[in-house]
Amino acid sequence: MDSPHGAAVSAEGFGLKGPRGWVFRGVGLTAPPGSLVAVEGPSGSGRTCLLLALTGRMRPTEGHAEVGGARLPGRAAAVRAFSALGPVPGVSELDPAFTVAEHLRERALLRRRFDGSPRSLLRPGAARAASRAAIDTALDTVGLDLAALPKAERTSVRDLERLEALRLSLALALMGRPRLLAVDDTDLKLSGPERAAAWRLLRGLADDGTTVLAVCGEAPEGALTVRTEDRRERADATGTTDAPDTSDAEDAPATPDAPDTSTAEAAPDATGTTGTTATEDTPGAPATTTTGSTTNGKETADALTRTGRA
């Protein structure tokens, strides 16, 4: 049973197939509410697509998952309603030309427009106060001090350090009080101390009850870990290779309400992957082990050419 805030996540035989092969396949996962789940693997291994599928933003091809009691793919809209995306390239990126204040005001206005009650429209003063309180709470939660920025809240996103931009993205996501938070490229371009600070922040969010899914190159100690591995690593270990799938474009998942993440994964020359996924020892979480296969960056992009933006 879910906690009042976090969402339990489970998956069995979860996979997504594009016209050139499997983006990911055979994923198994069991995570209780308030877990920190690290999706670990090389760029181009289907990590972002898995993240989007588990948050109801891409439609899987096979298997199923259950998030917060809502079964995927059938109840994807319900999962989207209580989940939020942190930074995901090509999907929920910050606008580099916007200032920090502009991003915060925009998110507050969107929440008042789409998540507020009709009565709040008749009380604009109270609505503004509530928005300000939500912004302050989110900034405090992620540890982003506007006064410490080069131009305070008027600092442009392009002038933020990588860790500061990550904190801002998380603050925007947390304004909706999500039960499930998804973060892509968590440790990308971070120094050792910055990486440690980022994981402390995400661990703190999980400890407070929010379930966190975080894509990374290297999972932190103690996280429940799902790993995707390079296809060549599996070939070396087993002495076999996986033939690429050459299915027609008709085999691509039909998800008209899913975002286009063709730029979210890695370089065009990234190699295709297969791998194992396993959970680390986590108190209260049963250990699971599965195998999976993923495609290269070109195949991932092709798998998503028929999807639209959420």
Side-chain angles (χ1 to χ4, degrees):
M1 179 178 295
D2 287 340
S3 71
H5 188 57
V9 179
S10 63
E12 182 177 351
F14 205 50
L16 186 150
K17 185 180 183 182
R20 294 177 179 269
W22 290 96
V23 181
F24 61 84
R25 190 180 192 186
V27 172
L29 169 67
T30 301
S35 296
L36 173 59
V37 182
V39 182
E40 178 188 71
S43 296
S45 62
R47 305 173 307 172
T48 301
C49 293
L50 176 58
L51 195 75
L52 294 172
L54 287 173
T55 54
R57 287 158 172 89
M58 292 190 71
R59 184 178 181 86
T61 306
E62 69 175 13
H64 69 272
E66 188 169 300
V67 182
R71 191 177 178 89
L72 295 171
R75 299 189 60 198
V79 174
R80 290 196 299 271
F82 61 72
S83 64
L85 298 181
V88 177
V91 181
S92 56
E93 292 175 299
L94 298 174
D95 189 323
F98 275 26
T99 66
V100 172
E102 287 169 339
H103 271 293
L104 293 169
R105 283 199 298 268
E106 178 188 55
R107 185 59 57 90
L109 288 171
L110 288 173
R111 283 192 46 74
R112 284 164 55 187
R113 172 64 179 83
F114 295 104
D115 298 334
S117 66
R119 183 175 299 179
S120 66
L121 299 177
L122 303 177
R123 303 173 60 189
R128 284 193 294 270
S131 294
R132 185 69 253 177
I135 290 173
D136 292 341
T137 298
L139 291 175
D140 183 63
T141 299
V142 302
L144 182 59
D145 182 4
L146 299 186
L149 300 179
K151 296 181 180 178
E153 64 178 17
R154 296 172 60 190
T155 303
S156 296
V157 166
R158 64 167 60 94
D159 296 325
L160 295 176
E161 299 292 338
R162 163 65 181 163
L163 184 57
E164 292 170 339
L166 176 62
R167 292 184 190 276
L168 175 59
S169 291
L170 295 177
L172 295 173
L174 291 174
M175 287 173 63
R177 292 186 52 79
R179 298 170 60 196
L180 176 67
L181 174 64
V183 185
D184 197 14
D185 289 337
T186 303
D187 52 4
L188 180 67
K189 297 181 180 180
L190 292 180
S191 65
E194 290 173 334
R195 187 178 300 114
W199 285 117
R200 282 196 302 271
L201 170 56
L202 295 181
R203 170 60 70 186
L205 296 177
D207 289 343
D208 287 341
T210 303
T211 302
V212 179
L213 300 177
V215 164
C216 60
E218 182 178 355
E221 183 178 353
L224 191 157
T225 304
V226 177
R227 176 167 177 77
T228 57
E229 295 180 348
D230 192 287
R231 177 175 295 164
R232 290 174 301 181
E233 295 179 10
R234 184 185 181 199
D236 291 342
T238 64
T240 62
T241 58
D242 292 330
D245 191 300
T246 57
S247 305
D248 295 333
E250 293 301 320
D251 293 329
T255 52
D257 59 349
D260 180 359
T261 59
S262 57
T263 61
E265 285 297 334
D269 62 348
T271 58
T273 64
T274 61
T276 60
T277 62
T279 61
E280 298 290 337
D281 293 334
T282 304
T288 63
T289 302
T290 65
T291 61
S293 66
T294 56
T295 63
N296 62 27
K298 177 64 167 63
E299 292 166 339
T300 301
D302 288 345
L304 304 175
T305 55
R306 296 184 61 194
T307 66
R309 187 168 300 276

